[in-house]
Amino acid sequence: MNDKAASYRRILKSSSIIGGASVINILIGLVRTKLVAVLLGPTGIGLVSLYTGLMTTASAVATMGMGTIGTRQIAQALGQDDERTLAVVRRAMFWGALLLASAGSLVVWSLRELLAIKVLGSAAHATLVGWLSLGVALSVAGASQGALIQGMRRIGDMARLSVYGSVLNTVLGVALLWQWGQAGLVAYVLIGPLSSFALGHWYVSRLPKVEANPVAIKEMARQWQTLLRLGIPFMGAGLVGALVQLWVRVEVGNTLGAESLGHFQAAWAISMQYIGFVLGAMGADYYPRLTSVIHDHKAATRLVNEQTEIALLLSAPVFIAMIGLTPWVIHLLYSDAFTPAVEVLRWQILGDVLKVASWPLGFVILAAGAGKTFFMTETIALMVMGGLIAWLVSSVGLKITGIAFLTSYAVLLPLVYWLARRRIDFAWTETVVKLLVVTFMLSATVAYISTVYWWSTLVTVVLSAAFAAYTLGRLAHMSNLGGPAGRMASWTQRWTSTNEGTK
């Protein structure tokens, strides 16, 4: 097997593990979403999004980019086979997480009344907001645990942690809402970080121990300096993202009402969840691998193209199916009360096509440790989205949230491509360009006919199935698989060659 096929196989292996876990999480999420929607309705879903947005924003500040930079530092030490540095980084991350978690939770608790007034509109929610400080502390600790597991490339542990966390979150969270109704909203929001922390602690305790002499404060201080120097810009990007999402939710809720906020949250949750099997795989294995070869421009360029091609191949059939079957999906996951979310979701799925193409390029910036550049690009895209929504939501209505999402990635994709070209002399292969164009055009076509023609469902199913067959064959061919998949690869290769010969 040549190096290229081996690389594709490795990407496919990590994608299958993380992707399989994501599919399970999506199925579990379907059940959780349906039950929560029935128990709370659009208004309750909107309120959950505000609590979650507030906790996420505070956690983005308190974490100080530790999840991203910690992964990078661990991956570098592991790639260099430097056990001493690995031990120092692990110890520094433990104590750093403890300090940041304590400080973050204390700040949220101290500002609970102000936050309740600004975000929820009343000081009566101050006590409930104060409880979110616990979620902030758990989120910081969980980010440190996740960085350690990811940096050491424990793909199986990451998958198990994700699935078990989703199961606990669903069972305990739905039980709380069933018992307490809206009175249990904050407890429901806290169950997620609590489950992740408990399981993360278990998996971290099972990691191989690194033997090293006692770690001095000076050694940890140098790692803290690196974590802060690189992490603050990433924290800033995370903070801007969380603030913009919170701003958008407040704007939609104040302008269009609580039910419209619930509709927006429904579309947003589906859009973020169903492509998780692709994006999650990038973070799990691709990011540490790219970090180890980022200074070899040819190797980095090859890896980015391979990851982009596989990500588009895996996600394209899902994009086509989701965009054509959106009304069915909304009804299945929520209820008829969420029908206004259909149009929003279609626009967001078109944006997801560009998102999948832009993510491998964004990791080039992360792997290079270019924090300021990452902050700039993320801020530009987020401000485009937030600004369009704030400007046009009153005149265009709810669908502007989906249009703004698509526009933000239409701005971000060429920007990160240009930055990757400057940093590693990157260029897409012809195969990736064709795949991106075809995926977007098919998705846009299905989106159009789904709003006009009654037979669009049949076309959607046929196109999605055909693309899935092509994906299977193409992936099998790239990674030299045998068996039925290998035979599908041969058929696909012959079909592609025939079509190319007729051009």
Side-chain angles (χ1 to χ4, degrees), residues 276-291:
F277 75 99
V278 174
L279 303 184
M282 288 192 205
D285 184 60
Y286 166 66
Y287 175 34
R289 285 183 68 196
L290 184 62
T291 298

PDB file of all heavy atoms in Angstrom, residues 276-291:
ATOM      1  N   GLY A 276     -21.733  16.880  12.578  1.00  0.00           N
ATOM      2  CA  GLY A 276     -20.742  16.643  13.617  1.00  0.00           C
ATOM      3  C   GLY A 276     -19.868  15.441  13.345  1.00  0.00           C
ATOM      4  O   GLY A 276     -18.705  15.383  13.769  1.00  0.00           O
ATOM      5  N   PHE A 277     -20.396  14.448  12.605  1.00  0.00           N
ATOM      6  CA  PHE A 277     -19.599  13.256  12.333  1.00  0.00           C
ATOM      7  C   PHE A 277     -18.400  13.586  11.445  1.00  0.00           C
ATOM      8  O   PHE A 277     -17.382  12.892  11.481  1.00  0.00           O
ATOM      9  CB  PHE A 277     -20.467  12.177  11.680  1.00  0.00           C
ATOM     10  CG  PHE A 277     -20.810  12.416  10.236  1.00  0.00           C
ATOM     11  CD1 PHE A 277     -20.096  11.797   9.230  1.00  0.00           C
ATOM     12  CD2 PHE A 277     -21.856  13.248   9.886  1.00  0.00           C
ATOM     13  CE1 PHE A 277     -20.411  12.011   7.900  1.00  0.00           C
ATOM     14  CE2 PHE A 277     -22.185  13.474   8.567  1.00  0.00           C
ATOM     15  CZ  PHE A 277     -21.455  12.846   7.566  1.00  0.00           C
ATOM     16  N   VAL A 278     -18.500  14.643  10.643  1.00  0.00           N
ATOM     17  CA  VAL A 278     -17.379  15.056   9.788  1.00  0.00           C
ATOM     18  C   VAL A 278     -16.449  16.003  10.542  1.00  0.00           C
ATOM     19  O   VAL A 278     -15.234  15.812  10.592  1.00  0.00           O
ATOM     20  CB  VAL A 278     -17.901  15.732   8.503  1.00  0.00           C
ATOM     21  CG1 VAL A 278     -16.729  16.282   7.693  1.00  0.00           C
ATOM     22  CG2 VAL A 278     -18.694  14.745   7.663  1.00  0.00           C
ATOM     23  N   LEU A 279     -17.013  17.036  11.150  1.00  0.00           N
ATOM     24  CA  LEU A 279     -16.201  18.038  11.832  1.00  0.00           C
ATOM     25  C   LEU A 279     -15.516  17.451  13.060  1.00  0.00           C
ATOM     26  O   LEU A 279     -14.392  17.825  13.396  1.00  0.00           O
ATOM     27  CB  LEU A 279     -17.070  19.237  12.212  1.00  0.00           C
ATOM     28  CG  LEU A 279     -17.804  19.923  11.050  1.00  0.00           C
ATOM     29  CD1 LEU A 279     -18.545  21.151  11.547  1.00  0.00           C
ATOM     30  CD2 LEU A 279     -16.843  20.296   9.931  1.00  0.00           C
ATOM     31  N   GLY A 280     -16.203  16.537  13.742  1.00  0.00           N
ATOM     32  CA  GLY A 280     -15.609  15.909  14.914  1.00  0.00           C
ATOM     33  C   GLY A 280     -14.366  15.107  14.563  1.00  0.00           C
ATOM     34  O   GLY A 280     -13.377  15.095  15.301  1.00  0.00           O
ATOM     35  N   ALA A 281     -14.405  14.422  13.411  1.00  0.00           N
ATOM     36  CA  ALA A 281     -13.253  13.637  12.981  1.00  0.00           C
ATOM     37  C   ALA A 281     -12.057  14.536  12.682  1.00  0.00           C
ATOM     38  O   ALA A 281     -10.906  14.161  12.923  1.00  0.00           O
ATOM     39  CB  ALA A 281     -13.611  12.815  11.744  1.00  0.00           C
ATOM     40  N   MET A 282     -12.321  15.731  12.154  1.00  0.00           N
ATOM     41  CA  MET A 282     -11.224  16.666  11.882  1.00  0.00           C
ATOM     42  C   MET A 282     -10.508  17.046  13.175  1.00  0.00           C
ATOM     43  O   MET A 282      -9.281  17.074  13.238  1.00  0.00           O
ATOM     44  CB  MET A 282     -11.762  17.927  11.210  1.00  0.00           C
ATOM     45  CG  MET A 282     -12.189  17.741   9.777  1.00  0.00           C
ATOM     46  SD  MET A 282     -12.477  19.342   8.997  1.00  0.00           S
ATOM     47  CE  MET A 282     -13.628  18.877   7.706  1.00  0.00           C
ATOM     48  N   GLY A 283     -11.274  17.348  14.202  1.00  0.00           N
ATOM     49  CA  GLY A 283     -10.658  17.744  15.455  1.00  0.00           C
ATOM     50  C   GLY A 283      -9.947  16.601  16.145  1.00  0.00           C
ATOM     51  O   GLY A 283      -8.945  16.798  16.831  1.00  0.00           O
ATOM     52  N   ALA A 284     -10.463  15.382  15.952  1.00  0.00           N
ATOM     53  CA  ALA A 284      -9.932  14.240  16.684  1.00  0.00           C
ATOM     54  C   ALA A 284      -8.547  13.818  16.195  1.00  0.00           C
ATOM     55  O   ALA A 284      -7.629  13.611  16.991  1.00  0.00           O
ATOM     56  CB  ALA A 284     -10.905  13.060  16.578  1.00  0.00           C
ATOM     57  N   ASP A 285      -8.378  13.657  14.905  1.00  0.00           N
ATOM     58  CA  ASP A 285      -7.124  13.112  14.385  1.00  0.00           C
ATOM     59  C   ASP A 285      -6.404  14.067  13.442  1.00  0.00           C
ATOM     60  O   ASP A 285      -5.177  14.194  13.480  1.00  0.00           O
ATOM     61  CB  ASP A 285      -7.412  11.788  13.655  1.00  0.00           C
ATOM     62  CG  ASP A 285      -6.135  11.121  13.164  1.00  0.00           C
ATOM     63  OD1 ASP A 285      -5.279  10.801  14.015  1.00  0.00           O
ATOM     64  OD2 ASP A 285      -5.997  10.930  11.948  1.00  0.00           O
ATOM     65  N   TYR A 286      -7.163  14.749  12.596  1.00  0.00           N
ATOM     66  CA  TYR A 286      -6.570  15.617  11.588  1.00  0.00           C
ATOM     67  C   TYR A 286      -5.767  16.761  12.207  1.00  0.00           C
ATOM     68  O   TYR A 286      -4.637  17.057  11.778  1.00  0.00           O
ATOM     69  CB  TYR A 286      -7.680  16.153  10.690  1.00  0.00           C
ATOM     70  CG  TYR A 286      -7.291  17.313   9.796  1.00  0.00           C
ATOM     71  CD1 TYR A 286      -6.354  17.158   8.771  1.00  0.00           C
ATOM     72  CD2 TYR A 286      -7.882  18.559   9.961  1.00  0.00           C
ATOM     73  CE1 TYR A 286      -6.015  18.220   7.950  1.00  0.00           C
ATOM     74  CE2 TYR A 286      -7.555  19.622   9.148  1.00  0.00           C
ATOM     75  CZ  TYR A 286      -6.618  19.454   8.142  1.00  0.00           C
ATOM     76  OH  TYR A 286      -6.297  20.506   7.337  1.00  0.00           O
ATOM     77  N   TYR A 287      -6.314  17.410  13.223  1.00  0.00           N
ATOM     78  CA  TYR A 287      -5.638  18.553  13.838  1.00  0.00           C
ATOM     79  C   TYR A 287      -4.291  18.162  14.444  1.00  0.00           C
ATOM     80  O   TYR A 287      -3.257  18.799  14.147  1.00  0.00           O
ATOM     81  CB  TYR A 287      -6.565  19.186  14.870  1.00  0.00           C
ATOM     82  CG  TYR A 287      -5.973  20.301  15.691  1.00  0.00           C
ATOM     83  CD1 TYR A 287      -5.036  21.178  15.166  1.00  0.00           C
ATOM     84  CD2 TYR A 287      -6.377  20.495  17.016  1.00  0.00           C
ATOM     85  CE1 TYR A 287      -4.512  22.211  15.931  1.00  0.00           C
ATOM     86  CE2 TYR A 287      -5.861  21.524  17.786  1.00  0.00           C
ATOM     87  CZ  TYR A 287      -4.922  22.375  17.245  1.00  0.00           C
ATOM     88  OH  TYR A 287      -4.404  23.390  18.008  1.00  0.00           O
ATOM     89  N   PRO A 288      -4.211  17.103  15.273  1.00  0.00           N
ATOM     90  CA  PRO A 288      -2.883  16.716  15.776  1.00  0.00           C
ATOM     91  C   PRO A 288      -1.915  16.311  14.657  1.00  0.00           C
ATOM     92  O   PRO A 288      -0.726  16.617  14.719  1.00  0.00           O
ATOM     93  CB  PRO A 288      -3.203  15.530  16.696  1.00  0.00           C
ATOM     94  CG  PRO A 288      -4.618  15.730  17.108  1.00  0.00           C
ATOM     95  CD  PRO A 288      -5.292  16.329  15.907  1.00  0.00           C
ATOM     96  N   ARG A 289      -2.415  15.614  13.629  1.00  0.00           N
ATOM     97  CA  ARG A 289      -1.542  15.215  12.515  1.00  0.00           C
ATOM     98  C   ARG A 289      -1.021  16.437  11.767  1.00  0.00           C
ATOM     99  O   ARG A 289       0.163  16.506  11.414  1.00  0.00           O
ATOM    100  CB  ARG A 289      -2.304  14.306  11.542  1.00  0.00           C
ATOM    101  CG  ARG A 289      -2.534  12.892  12.021  1.00  0.00           C
ATOM    102  CD  ARG A 289      -3.218  12.076  10.939  1.00  0.00           C
ATOM    103  NE  ARG A 289      -2.327  11.863   9.798  1.00  0.00           N
ATOM    104  CZ  ARG A 289      -2.739  11.462   8.609  1.00  0.00           C
ATOM    105  NH1 ARG A 289      -4.036  11.267   8.397  1.00  0.00           N
ATOM    106  NH2 ARG A 289      -1.879  11.277   7.636  1.00  0.00           N
ATOM    107  N   LEU A 290      -1.913  17.381  11.503  1.00  0.00           N
ATOM    108  CA  LEU A 290      -1.497  18.584  10.786  1.00  0.00           C
ATOM    109  C   LEU A 290      -0.482  19.379  11.592  1.00  0.00           C
ATOM    110  O   LEU A 290       0.467  19.949  11.041  1.00  0.00           O
ATOM    111  CB  LEU A 290      -2.729  19.443  10.469  1.00  0.00           C
ATOM    112  CG  LEU A 290      -2.476  20.704   9.634  1.00  0.00           C
ATOM    113  CD1 LEU A 290      -1.920  20.347   8.260  1.00  0.00           C
ATOM    114  CD2 LEU A 290      -3.771  21.510   9.493  1.00  0.00           C
ATOM    115  N   THR A 291      -0.666  19.417  12.913  1.00  0.00           N
ATOM    116  CA  THR A 291       0.275  20.123  13.778  1.00  0.00           C
ATOM    117  C   THR A 291       1.683  19.545  13.639  1.00  0.00           C
ATOM    118  O   THR A 291       2.681  20.286  13.623  1.00  0.00           O
ATOM    119  CB  THR A 291      -0.181  20.034  15.246  1.00  0.00           C
ATOM    120  OG1 THR A 291      -1.447  20.675  15.386  1.00  0.00           O
ATOM    121  CG2 THR A 291       0.819  20.708  16.172  1.00  0.00           C
TER     122      THR A 291
END
